[in-house]
Amino acid sequence: MSVQREQIESIVAEVLKTLSATAPLTSPAIETGDWGVFEQLEQAVAAATAAYQQINTIALREKVVGIMRQAARDNARRLAEMAVEETGMGRIEDKVKKNLLVADRTPGPDFLSPSAISGDTGLTLVENAPWGVIASVTPSTNPAATVINNAISMISGGNSVVFAPHPAAKWVTQEAIRILNRAIHAGTGINNLLVCVREPSIEVAQRLFTQEGINLLVVTGGEAVVEAARKTTNKRLMAAGAGNPPVVVDETADISRAAESIYTGASFDNNIVCADEKEIIVVEQVADEFKRALSACGAVEISPEQADTIARKVLIDYPGPACRPNPKWVGRDAAEIAAAGGFSVPESCRLLFVDVGRDVDNVFARLEQMMPLLPVLRADTFDEALEWALILERGLLHTAGLHSRNIDHMDAMAKKINSSLFVKNGPHLAGLGAGGEGWTSMTISTPTGEGVTNARTFVRLRRCTLVGSFRIV
Ligand code: NAD
């Protein structure tokens, strides 16, 4: 049998490819590595593949999750400080709260339960199987909290995770990965359940969309990345996209409670949480009373002229249809935003607001600007307020809120708004388990519909049927 030169070269290339794919699993550099941070994407995926195969018992997953919770609690402040220092966004104290929230209230493996169907023809078992290696693209706005939250949810489902950090938050994202990996290794000997590359970029994130060895792609970010993933990925996609959550205050609301809720929610982490209140729509009859109550909480009302001056500084291409937030100003303190407008507010002020009347097209209402500056719109009636809320939510299917004691209003808005989260009479954060019932997540899957993600989101359902036996009745 004669073998052509090309065939030999092709066989050699194949063997080398196989060797390089398996080498990282045994290479000492990768066993210890830099606690999950790799030079090459292929190395990271290979290490994560080896890692998830090691968490093959529920007891081990529970142990790993317990270890991660503790490590996240112990490092909540350090990671919060790093995030603010690196990204310039948000508030340290709020980020500490966010890190603790995800450490404590992200559900673990106990959230998964198999189910059984028993009948005359036998028994069928439905089990929660891992996807294997999950790719998770993470935002700059909640860098550490998203790693902690995704790690707990995805490992609970028996998976490992390749993260694609936002380049502007790479140090803190990588440090969160290292901290969790070190703690897991110390407690179980397993490394690399969480991995990423040392130099994250949009290009590396895009390679993950089609990277071999990954079956599920989870994207947490704005509209552009969700669109890019939708267009190119050949994997199952779960997308946690942008929002522009409106909150309506009607004439029946407990006004001081509504003002306190909105002040707390909209100013949390300087408004960079995707679910935070982004525009307030008040029914005219109570608008002045509401504004006084909001000011009493510590918010400062600014004039439309001052808002315009701020917009020229903090938005790109303003005025104009393509205007958008300047990332340098996203998540800055209210005092810094005020200074951009040429005036000062007390350091204690966490929120600015501007009365824009009936201007639904106002730039601060239309844009998801993620700054602690909210427009207050005045609608004639609740029906009009709801109509505006629908316009401003833009079908993003994210979050909306209502302050009301009218059950018909609650019912009407719940049905029409069609958002993944709908929060009544509390800060929107309550919908993420902070002051409301339910678990938390930093990945609220909106356009693809998985909602507030958890361990159950990140498993494949597998069915096993036995015909004619194993029933006990
Ligand atoms: P971003 O969209 O700029 O970046 C998110 C991630 O996507 C980053 O890792 C970035 O590197 C990557 N990315 C961006 N464009 C890409 C492209 N074209 N191809 C491949 N990768 C790309 O978002 P951000 O500023 O970091 O975060 C804020 C945005 O994320 C807001 O719109 C917010 O509403 C949204 N968000 C949503 C949720 C949710 O759970 N639904 C949670 C947090 C943030």
Side-chain angles (χ1 to χ4, degrees):
M1 186 181 81
S2 76
V3 180
Q4 299 296 318
R5 187 186 167 83
E6 290 94 310
Q7 279 176 293
I8 294 171
E9 280 173 358
S10 145
I11 291 164
V12 169
E14 201 50 46
V15 170
L16 287 176
K17 200 171 140 199
T18 311
L19 283 177
S20 72
T22 52
L25 312 187
T26 49
S27 145
I30 289 188
E31 273 167 16
T32 51
D34 186 12
W35 302 109
V37 181
F38 291 85
E39 302 305 327
Q40 302 295 332
L41 186 59
E42 291 71 17
Q43 295 174 319
V45 174
T49 305
Y52 95 81
Q53 288 162 357
Q54 294 175 59
I55 47 163
N56 50 9
T57 68
I58 292 166
L60 197 45
R61 285 188 217 167
E62 273 166 358
K63 186 169 183 184
V64 168
V65 166
I67 289 169
M68 288 195 294
R69 290 193 201 282
Q70 191 55 48
R73 281 185 211 115
D74 294 345
N75 291 279
R77 177 162 295 277
R78 190 160 83 79
L79 289 170
E81 287 169 353
M82 278 186 79
V84 173
E85 193 182 331
E86 184 178 5
T87 65
M89 291 185 225
R91 289 174 171 266
I92 291 172
E93 292 309 318
D94 294 350
K95 285 195 188 293
V96 173
K97 287 184 194 154
K98 211 155 59 168
N99 291 343
L100 292 174
L101 177 73
V102 289
D104 292 338
R105 300 205 59 180
T106 304
D110 53 321
F111 224 52
L112 297 171
S113 45
S115 61
I117 305 158
S118 175
D120 293 343
T121 50
L123 186 76
T124 287
L125 182 62
V126 183
E127 290 268 28
N128 301 289
W131 282 91
V133 183
I134 299 178
S136 172
V137 180
T138 58
S140 57
T141 45
N142 313 313
T146 306
V147 167
I148 297 164
N149 164 259
N150 280 194
I152 294 175
S153 295
M154 293 174 185
I155 290 178
S156 293
N159 310 285
S160 57
V161 195
V162 183
F163 285 102
H166 194 296
K170 76 171 180 181
W171 300 119
V172 60
T173 310
Q174 290 173 345
E175 189 55 12
I177 290 170
R178 284 194 195 96
I179 285 168
L180 298 182
N181 275 332
R182 264 195 218 109
I184 295 168
H185 188 260
T188 66
I190 302 172
N191 192 7
N192 298 325
L193 280 169
L194 311 169
V195 299
C196 67
V197 295
R198 194 174 302 284
E199 286 308 330
S201 63
I202 300 259
E203 189 262 324
V204 174
Q206 286 178 351
R207 277 173 57 204
L208 271 178
F209 295 176
T210 52
Q211 176 72 35
E212 215 178 306
I214 291 172
N215 297 315
L216 173 62
L217 172 64
V218 179
V219 169
T220 308
E223 289 176 84
V225 61
V226 171
E227 197 48 36
R230 268 191 201 277
K231 277 193 187 139
T232 51
T233 193
N234 53 2
K235 310 181 186 311
R236 166 79 192 274
L237 171 67
M238 295 179 182
N244 190 32
V247 55
V248 169
V249 181
D250 80 5
E251 67 282 9
T252 70
D254 176 336
I255 297 297
S256 56
R257 180 172 162 181
E260 274 168 37
S261 288
I262 293 170
Y263 184 72
T264 307
S267 69
F268 186 80
D269 215 13
N270 287 341
N271 203 261
I272 56 175
V273 176
C274 53
D276 281 344
E277 293 82 347
K278 302 270 187 283
E279 60 274 341
I280 308 166
I281 309 169
V282 194
V283 172
E284 177 63 46
Q285 190 184 325
V286 290
D288 290 333
E289 184 188 351
F290 171 79
K291 281 172 39 178
R292 282 194 297 276
L294 196 57
S295 300
C297 295
V300 170
E301 179 170 6
I302 64 171
S303 67
E305 294 71 31
Q306 286 172 318
D308 185 68
T309 310
I310 290 173
R312 287 173 196 281
K313 190 98 180 222
V314 304
L315 304 178
I316 298 170
D317 289 340
Y318 173 84
C323 86
R324 58 203 180 278
N326 183 335
K328 280 190 205 147
W329 287 96
V330 168
R332 298 284 165 172
D333 288 357
E336 289 176 79
I337 308 262
F343 61 98
S344 64
V345 294
E347 276 300 315
S348 59
C349 165
R350 292 173 58 99
L351 188 70
L352 308 174
F353 69 93
V354 54
D355 187 336
V356 301
R358 296 180 55 78
D359 181 12
V360 186
D361 204 33
N362 181 275
V363 69
F364 287 109
R366 205 161 31 86
L367 279 188
E368 186 208 27
Q369 86 270 17
M370 295 191 290
M371 296 172 202
L373 193 181
L374 262 66
V376 174
L377 291 125
R378 293 165 172 264
D380 283 345
T381 60
F382 166 76
D383 288 345
E384 186 172 55
L386 176 50
E387 193 185 307
W388 291 356
L390 286 164
I391 293 169
L392 294 170
E393 210 277 330
R394 292 197 280 122
L396 292 168
L397 310 176
H398 203 295
T399 300
L402 170 65
H403 291 269
S404 173
R405 284 185 279 217
N406 181 321
I407 201 155
D408 293 333
H409 290 179
M410 292 184 189
D411 190 54
M413 187 155 174
K415 286 181 180 144
K416 286 203 175 138
I417 198 78
N418 199 24
S419 49
S420 301
L421 294 177
F422 177 47
V423 183
K424 285 160 286 182
N425 297 332
H428 286 185
L429 289 169
L432 294 178
E437 291 301 323
W439 67 92
T440 201
S441 178
M442 289 293 119
T443 295
I444 305 148
S445 174
T446 42
T448 52
E450 289 78 18
V452 184
T453 56
N454 59 71
R456 284 183 210 142
T457 315
F458 303 116
V459 292
R460 288 169 54 230
L461 295 183
R462 292 187 55 205
R463 174 185 280 211
C464 181
T465 299
L466 185 61
V467 180
S469 51
F470 257 132
R471 298 188 64 216
I472 56 170
V473 287

